[in-house]
Amino acid sequence: MNIDKEREYVLLSWKWCWDKDHLVFWGHQTADEEKRSYGGYTMDVEGCEKYTEQELIESHHRFWGSQRMHELDREGTYAIKLSDLLKFGQKKTIIYK
């Protein structure tokens, strides 16, 4: 699957994150030519959907840490750049079945 380098954002569901080591993201990863996934949750940052900034602006999502976000809403979902997840010290979560 080829992910466009502009698809550098994920949707972080702040409501379902219980600490900085257990982050929850929206969707499942799609190919560039497919319709973006906005449903379902995952803790797998590598398997969640990736979005462009323009897609998220058009769908009226709030951005983490930007002037577009006036206050943190614990119930909210925020667009965040993958590279900014390092600020959380986010660790990869492995789920065994």
Side-chain angles (χ1 to χ4, degrees):
M1 184 175 311
N2 179 27
I3 296 295
D4 185 321
K5 63 183 174 186
E6 292 183 21
R7 288 176 63 186
E8 57 189 352
Y9 286 87
V10 295
L11 286 172
L12 173 65
S13 181
W14 194 235
K15 177 179 183 174
W16 302 111
C17 298
W18 58 91
D19 64 34
K20 70 177 184 146
D21 292 330
H22 299 92
L23 302 180
V24 178
F25 306 97
W26 278 28
H28 63 277
Q29 191 169 309
T30 60
D32 289 342
E33 64 278 359
E34 293 180 307
K35 183 177 178 182
R36 296 292 167 261
S37 171
Y38 287 94
Y41 298 103
T42 182
M43 291 175 67
D44 179 8
V45 71
E46 292 178 17
C48 72
E49 184 63 285
K50 314 302 186 290
Y51 308 89
T52 66
E53 183 176 19
Q54 189 60 38
E55 288 169 334
L56 295 168
I57 290 169
E58 289 172 5
S59 59
H60 306 288
H61 280 91
R62 294 179 284 187
F63 286 74
W64 184 271
S66 74
Q67 286 102 6
R68 289 173 235 170
M69 183 185 76
H70 299 292
E71 63 183 75
L72 181 63
D73 174 7
R74 184 66 186 144
E75 298 291 312
T77 295
Y78 296 91
I80 185 169
K81 251 186 184 178
L82 283 166
S83 59
D84 288 340
L85 286 175
L86 297 174
K87 295 175 184 175
F88 280 99
Q90 204 250 350
K91 301 172 186 170
K92 186 174 183 178
T93 299
I94 299 173
I95 299 172
Y96 295 97
K97 294 182 180 182

